[in-house]
């Protein structure tokens, strides 16, 4: 739609707008003439008798001709207004089609750069991916588009997790970099809400960063870091969510963004134990937004401690878990 059309408000073709204006003036003039004729006839009526004679004379008068002209003009105006409505509807459909085409073009561009098909292609920095996907979610007009954004966000977030922070966010980022990433993740989560654009992977990343910030409030910031260990097979690098030093002891921290699961799965328990053994840590803490039930062995040995954290109000829970892990 051009700037000129936007300035006119309706965006209708100039020819139709001129026709409407002309017919409006014509009807106003005819209406005025008819009203004048009727007033004159009403004043003159007492001088004419009987009513039949008056009616006969009125049918021959200019006033009656004016009424007929007004009716004809009204029918013509109705036809024009109907054409205007159809034209406006067609223009609106065309505009929506153009907007949809432009949205999908932007989505295709973002998707191919957020998740490159070829390994030789370098993906966009993750912050740029988050900003782009958030913008696409805001401008999406239906659940199909929102679902497409949600699917790409899941893949992009999983790809980010696989790189173990090797992109634009270092393993031990500064507070400013953490705040920037948290802000971007939070904005996407807020915009997506409970629509098909929602990404549990992005929500998990957001929760993990918030927990790490909480640990840096509870402990001296330099006591919280991220280290990479080589797995038992020697081939795969493993990086826990965080490694903390408390009372001279090394503790592995694993963050789980579970919302419904109440028991730590055997596979997750085995993975945490492997991390403790590989890293040479003394214990591990599992942090989640819900209370997790540990297996009997972990509870008896005390090698794994569970803690609940949902907001800064739960920082004391982290302190208690650290004390338990080092007791």
């Amino acid at each position: 739609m051009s700037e000129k059309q936007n300035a006119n408000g309706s965006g209708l073709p100039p020819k139709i707008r001129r026709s409407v204006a002309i017919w409006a003036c014509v009807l106003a003039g005819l209406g005025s003439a008819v009203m004048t004729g009727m007033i004159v006839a009403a004043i003159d009526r007492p001088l004419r008798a009987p009513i039949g004679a008056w009616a006969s004379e009125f049918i021959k008068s200019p006033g009656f001709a004016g009424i007929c002209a007004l009716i004809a003009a009204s029918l013509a105006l109705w036809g024009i207004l109907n054409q205007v409505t159809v034209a406006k509807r067609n223009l609106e459909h065309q505009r929506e089609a153009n907007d949809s085409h432009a949205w999908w073009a932007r989505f295709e561009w973002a998707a191919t750069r957020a998740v490159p098909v070829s390994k030789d292609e370098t993906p966009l920095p993750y912050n740029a991916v988050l900003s782009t996907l958030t913008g696409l979610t805001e401008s999406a007009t239906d659940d199909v588009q929102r679902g497409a954004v949600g699917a790409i966000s899941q893949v992009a977030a999983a790809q980010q997790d696989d790189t173990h922070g090797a992109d634009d966010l270092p393993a031990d980022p500064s507070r400013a970099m953490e705040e920037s990433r948290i802000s971007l993740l939070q904005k996407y989560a807020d915009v997506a809400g409970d629509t098909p654009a929602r990404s549990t992977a992005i929500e998990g990343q957001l929760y993990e960063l918030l927990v790490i910030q909480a640990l840096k409030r509870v402990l001296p910031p330099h006591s919280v870091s991220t280290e990479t260990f080589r797995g038992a097979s020697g081939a795969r690098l493993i990086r826990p969510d965080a490694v903390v030093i408390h009372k001279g002891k090394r503790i592995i921290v694993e963050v789980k963004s579970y919302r419904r699961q109440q028991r730590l799965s055997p596979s997750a328990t085995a993975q945490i134990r492997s991390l403790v053994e590989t890293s040479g840590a003394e214990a591990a803490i599992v942090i989640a937004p819900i209370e997790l039930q540990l297996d009997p062995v972990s509870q008896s040995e005390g090698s794994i401690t569970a803690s609940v954290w949902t907001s800064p109000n739960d920082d004391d829970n982290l302190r208690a878990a650290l004390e338990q892990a080092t007791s």
Side-chain angles (χ1 to χ4, degrees), residues 86-227:
V86 173
K88 188 174 182 179
R89 188 182 301 117
N90 290 338
L91 286 173
E92 183 66 20
H93 290 167
Q94 182 178 0
R95 183 188 66 79
E96 292 176 355
N98 291 338
D99 290 347
S100 178
H101 178 76
W103 189 95
W104 283 110
R106 293 196 304 273
F107 172 80
E108 183 178 1
W109 180 90
T112 55
R113 285 157 180 78
V115 187
V117 178
S118 173
K119 294 182 179 180
D120 297 331
E121 298 179 13
T122 302
L124 280 175
Y126 193 53
N127 282 4
V129 170
L130 289 172
S131 296
T132 304
L133 294 180
T134 299
L136 285 169
T137 303
E138 288 179 316
S139 60
T141 58
D142 55 47
D143 284 348
V144 174
Q145 293 179 343
R146 295 184 188 94
V149 177
I152 288 297
S153 68
Q154 287 283 106
V155 177
Q159 179 175 275
Q160 164 71 10
D161 290 338
D162 289 341
T163 62
H164 299 295
D167 63 346
D168 57 333
L169 190 67
D172 297 311
S174 66
R175 183 172 181 82
M177 296 179 72
E178 276 187 349
E179 290 289 354
S180 175
R181 178 61 58 81
I182 287 173
S183 176
L184 290 168
L185 290 168
Q186 185 67 65
K187 184 175 182 181
Y188 180 88
D190 291 342
V191 171
D194 289 328
T195 71
R198 181 182 180 184
S199 171
T200 55
I202 284 181
E203 291 174 356
Q205 290 178 341
L206 174 61
Y207 179 73
E208 179 181 326
L209 286 176
L210 291 174
V211 168
I212 291 174
Q213 277 198 343
L215 289 170
K216 290 180 179 180
R217 289 194 301 268
V218 171
L219 297 171
H222 66 271
S223 299
V224 182
S225 63
T226 302
E227 301 178 25

Side-chain angles (χ1 to χ4, degrees), residues 225-262:
S225 63
T226 302
E227 301 178 25
T228 301
F229 307 100
R230 194 166 293 279
S233 62
R236 184 169 179 243
L237 294 177
I238 301 175
R239 197 193 80 181
D241 296 325
V243 179
V244 302
I245 305 297
H246 183 55
K247 294 183 177 181
K249 294 185 178 181
R250 183 190 298 270
I251 303 172
I252 295 296
V253 177
E254 279 293 285
V255 181
K256 304 295 183 182
S257 57
Y258 298 146
R259 299 291 177 179
R260 298 177 181 176
Q261 184 176 347
Q262 296 183 347

